[in-house]
Amino acid sequence: LAGFQQKAAHEKTLRRQGQKRAIGAQTDAEKEGIVYNACISACEKAGQWQHALALFQEMEGCRIPRTSITYNATISACEKGHEWERALRFVADMEVFDVERSAITYNACIAACDEAGQWQHALLLLGDMSRNQLQSCAITYHACVMACEKGLQWRFALSFMSDMHAERIEWNSNTLNAAISACERSGQWSAARQKFGQNFFS
């Protein structure tokens, strides 16, 4: 009996040591993840999207978990680099790998679509936000209106302005000018006058 007890105690000790090593390895990976996230964010701010993507891929090779912070910074880097297709792919990957998507995620991707004049994708992303019960903000709507201006989608642009008013979201002059420009470039100047009032243009 004493021999069995000694053996059981030894196995228990080995299990604890294994658990401690696993926890230590996990902690090290999390620490490395924080460093990588900071580096990707720095590349994003510097407009170095290629380096941001290289670091993102390197994390996979090193088996470092990629969190929503990682993805958001990488998507923002794609926005700065006008890589809207890559940004869309990362958003899709987040769903596949069960990484939480936030308003920050969608705002960055919608902005990337805006820069490329991809108004259809911007609107699809906005709808996805609504389905995921994520709150749109002035940044979200601004990017959508800007994308609609580039795509000459004046009806959508005016609709978004109405949504902002209904949700008590304050727009800035750039958003307003983009909505008016969408009408003007589409030959719908009268629609802008009707929406914002004759006194606005006098």
Side-chain angles (χ1 to χ4, degrees):
L1 180 60
F4 283 114
Q5 288 176 334
Q6 186 176 4
K7 183 179 179 181
H10 178 66
E11 290 176 350
K12 186 176 182 180
T13 300
L14 290 176
R15 283 197 301 272
R16 285 179 176 175
Q17 289 175 347
Q19 289 171 352
K20 287 180 179 178
R21 283 195 296 270
I23 292 171
Q26 183 180 7
T27 303
D28 289 343
E30 289 174 351
K31 288 179 180 177
E32 290 177 3
I34 292 171
V35 174
Y36 270 96
N37 290 342
C39 290
I40 291 173
S41 182
C43 291
E44 176 260 316
K45 289 178 173 60
Q48 298 294 322
W49 66 271
Q50 298 99 327
H51 292 300
L53 263 60
L55 289 168
F56 183 90
Q57 296 299 332
E58 191 174 304
M59 290 179 75
E60 182 180 14
C62 297
R63 296 183 179 179
I64 299 171
R66 294 177 291 194
T67 65
S68 58
I69 296 173
T70 315
Y71 276 95
N72 290 344
T74 307
I75 291 169
S76 293
C78 290
E79 174 205 342
K80 299 285 176 58
H82 308 289
E83 293 290 322
W84 64 274
E85 290 177 300
R86 292 179 188 271
L88 286 171
R89 199 174 305 128
F90 283 125
V91 173
D93 286 347
M94 290 177 79
E95 183 174 10
V96 172
F97 296 112
D98 197 26
V99 179
E100 183 180 3
R101 293 173 292 177
S102 66
I104 295 172
T105 309
Y106 282 97
N107 287 343
C109 196
I110 290 172
C113 292
D114 155 38
E115 290 290 335
Q118 294 294 322
W119 64 270
Q120 299 99 324
H121 289 293
L123 268 60
L124 288 172
L125 288 164
L126 183 64
D128 203 20
M129 283 185 73
S130 179
R131 284 188 294 274
N132 288 310
Q133 298 182 333
L134 295 173
Q135 185 66 47
S136 303
C137 65
I139 295 172
T140 316
Y141 282 116
H142 173 75
C144 286
V145 172
M146 294 291 288
C148 289
E149 180 204 3
K150 292 181 178 70
L152 304 181
Q153 298 299 312
W154 64 274
R155 287 189 178 88
F156 282 121
L158 293 184
S159 177
F160 289 137
M161 299 300 285
S162 295
D163 290 342
M164 292 180 75
H165 179 73
E167 296 173 26
R168 297 183 179 180
I169 298 174
E170 188 173 342
W171 63 63
N172 60 30
S173 59
N174 291 331
T175 309
L176 178 60
N177 289 338
I180 294 171
S181 176
C183 294
E184 181 182 9
R185 293 174 61 197
S186 303
Q188 296 294 331
W189 186 248
S190 59
R193 286 178 177 273
Q194 183 179 355
K195 176 67 178 178
F196 301 109
Q198 179 69 31
N199 294 334
F200 181 84
F201 298 97
S202 59

